[in-house]
Amino acid sequence: MNTFDLDQAYIAHTYKRFPVEIVSGKGSLVRDASGKEYIDMGSGIAVTSFGVADDTWIAAVEQQIRRVQHMSNLYYTEPCARLAETLCRRTGMSRVFFGNSGAEANECAIKVARKWAAETKGPGCNVIVTLENSFHGRTLTTLAATGQEHYHELYQPLTPGFAHFPAGDLDALKALCAGGQVAAVLIECVQGEGGVIPLDPAFASSLELYLREQDILLMIDEVQTGNGRTGKMYAYMNYGLHPDVVTTAKGLAGGLPLGACLLGDKVKDVLSYGDHGSTFGGNPVACAAALSVAERLTDAFLAGVGVKSALLRGLLDGAPGILSVSGLGLMLGLKTVKPAGEVVQACMENGVLCLTAKDKVRLLPALNIPDDLLRRAAEVIIAACK
Ligand code: PLP
């Protein structure tokens, strides 16, 4: 049996895969089993921040893997401690809990919010509010946090204690908070799965102000937007926000499973011994990879992400068949005249791998994609949209 047949026979049918088997790559070029080359405009859904098989990343992983590939969290390991320090220094947050995925990072944030509120406001204060059209993960609790009904339908009952309101509607949030039961608000600065929709900056500022007044936690889901994706280390920095909790994963370790829940001063001591844990969380190889990624996300490099974003937007904006371009940095969504799926299919046939998000074509290239590849990819996308 070949890979397609084995996959069809033995893997749960949760992913509608494209008929392409990727076998190798370098940077932003990947190759399928037939030898066909593609420009990768998806980077594993915002994971391979420095592309595929990047030499610096490989060296960091290899060095750690030769030392210790895993150690229980009952012992100290240097990459884990150094990464936590780096993330705190780069964000002003105070402590980190490491897991393995975005959903787990959000689970941790939700536990922290519930415990903080129970201890400071009483057990009745346990509601987490998120935005309509948001996406926060696939576990039962993060599905409950996800503000899209269609994800909920088949899995009732979900974890109780969640409510949603439309982005931009502060009055709707105020109505939800009126009973004094809201512990935290969890938002994405750019809704990724929801269609690459950035938050309105004025709304973001007034939201933060209101939550401060009410002593409600501001928690920001940076699973997709984090680690340089939007041209800042974290997307909330584009908005001048001061979150109490930040969650991240995807690009954090550049291609190994790692999630992090960053705790600000207000909640830094909420978790104590035995409150939370993860066998693989903070794995030294994943943390060594993440350290090498973080070290390369310098101010100059992040400014370069902004330049690449402007280049790509400039090429795509106003092209025939492209109605609008949304997003921040190298996280862009194209509203196209043709159905997004059709555009993605045509791009793939012509050697460019793109993604969709709702009705949009979604682009999440590696942060270091060379300009000539961006130009070539844009040509193919524009031709597919015509
Ligand atoms: N939060 C956001 C904003 C996401 O985009 C995703 C995944 O797409 C998740 C959470 C879930 O992350 P994971 O698939 O690593 O659990």
Side-chain angles (χ1 to χ4, degrees):
M1 281 168 107
N2 64 24
T3 303
F4 296 113
D5 296 339
L6 286 168
D7 190 301
Q8 276 297 309
Y10 294 110
I11 292 187
H13 292 180
T14 63
Y15 304 106
K16 198 155 181 271
R17 300 193 207 275
F18 295 108
V20 172
E21 181 190 357
I22 300 297
V23 294
S24 65
K26 195 78 194 162
S28 289
L29 290 172
V30 293
R31 220 173 259 286
D32 73 11
S34 74
K36 180 174 170 180
E37 193 173 69
Y38 303 84
I39 301 173
D40 182 8
M41 292 296 282
S43 61
I45 318 189
V47 168
T48 49
S49 319
F50 287 90
V52 171
D54 173 80
D55 290 330
T56 308
W57 185 89
I58 289 173
V61 168
E62 203 173 60
Q63 199 181 37
Q64 183 57 41
I65 236 166
R66 288 180 188 285
R67 285 186 186 144
V68 178
Q69 82 274 31
H70 173 79
M71 188 40 65
S72 158
N73 276 310
L74 297 174
Y75 305 95
Y76 295 92
T77 56
E78 189 188 354
C80 180
R82 280 188 55 218
L83 177 62
E85 186 274 334
T86 300
L87 294 175
C88 289
R89 182 166 35 79
R90 298 289 294 269
T91 58
M93 304 299 276
S94 302
R95 290 196 213 290
V96 183
F97 177 85
F98 288 115
N100 312 281
S101 66
E104 273 180 278
N106 285 335
E107 289 270 347
C108 178
I110 292 161
K111 282 178 79 170
V112 167
R114 290 243 166 104
K115 190 169 179 223
W116 170 80
E119 285 173 352
T120 58
K121 299 179 164 196
C125 182
N126 53 30
V127 174
I128 313 291
V129 175
T130 72
L131 295 175
E132 287 177 5
N133 197 46
S134 57
F135 186 84
H136 297 293
R138 302 279 194 162
T139 61
L140 283 177
T141 298
T142 56
L143 274 183
T146 291
Q148 300 189 54
E149 278 303 315
H150 69 99
Y151 284 111
H152 297 175
E153 281 155 13
L154 302 175
Y155 306 104
Q156 298 295 327
L158 298 176
T159 308
F162 288 87
H164 316 285
F165 75 106
D169 190 348
L170 198 60
D171 288 338
L173 175 65
K174 287 180 182 174
L176 291 173
C177 295
Q181 292 182 318
V182 174
V185 170
L186 173 66
I187 56 165
E188 296 156 273
C189 288
V190 184
Q191 291 187 331
E193 304 303 308
V196 199
I197 305 169
L199 214 57
D200 170 52
F203 167 69
S205 303
S206 53
L207 171 69
E208 175 168 292
L209 198 65
Y210 175 70
L211 298 181
R212 286 284 158 275
E213 281 166 14
Q214 300 294 313
D215 195 26
I216 293 169
L217 299 178
L218 172 59
M219 311 205 294
I220 303 193
D221 179 338
E222 296 269 1
V223 169
Q224 191 162 148
T225 52
N227 312 294
R229 175 61 45 194
T230 67
K232 297 272 185 198
M233 187 70 180
Y234 289 99
Y236 73 80
M237 295 169 178
N238 294 291
Y239 289 84
L241 295 175
H242 307 85
D244 299 300
V245 177
V246 174
T247 59
T248 191
K250 287 192 183 282
L252 178 61
L256 283 175
L258 184 65
C261 180
L262 280 56
L263 307 173
D265 201 45
K266 202 163 172 173
V267 293
K268 70 175 187 215
D269 294 321
V270 168
L271 295 178
S272 46
Y273 296 128
D275 277 348
H276 203 37
S278 162
T279 297
F280 286 113
N283 167 277
V285 180
C287 287
L291 264 171
S292 103
V293 169
E295 276 164 12
R296 296 164 80 184
L297 298 177
T298 60
D299 288 347
F301 180 85
L302 292 172
V305 171
V307 173
K308 287 187 192 296
S309 171
L311 168 67
L312 188 55
R313 284 187 95 124
L315 293 166
L316 298 172
D317 236 332
I322 299 180
L323 298 170
S324 64
V325 182
S326 64
L328 265 182
L330 287 174
M331 178 174 181
L332 297 178
L334 315 180
K335 189 132 185 49
T336 52
V337 173
K338 288 186 191 166
E342 234 173 74
V343 173
V344 169
Q345 179 68 30
C347 286
M348 195 174 63
E349 281 161 17
N350 292 297
V352 174
L353 299 181
C354 303
L355 303 161
T356 58
K358 288 267 175 86
D359 62 342
K360 291 193 182 151
V361 176
R362 179 169 43 157
L363 306 177
L364 296 162
L367 306 180
N368 65 342
I369 184 170
D371 291 354
D372 63 313
L373 289 188
L374 269 187
R375 284 199 182 86
R376 267 171 54 195
E379 266 174 38
V380 170
I381 295 165
I382 288 166
C385 289
K386 246 185 209 153

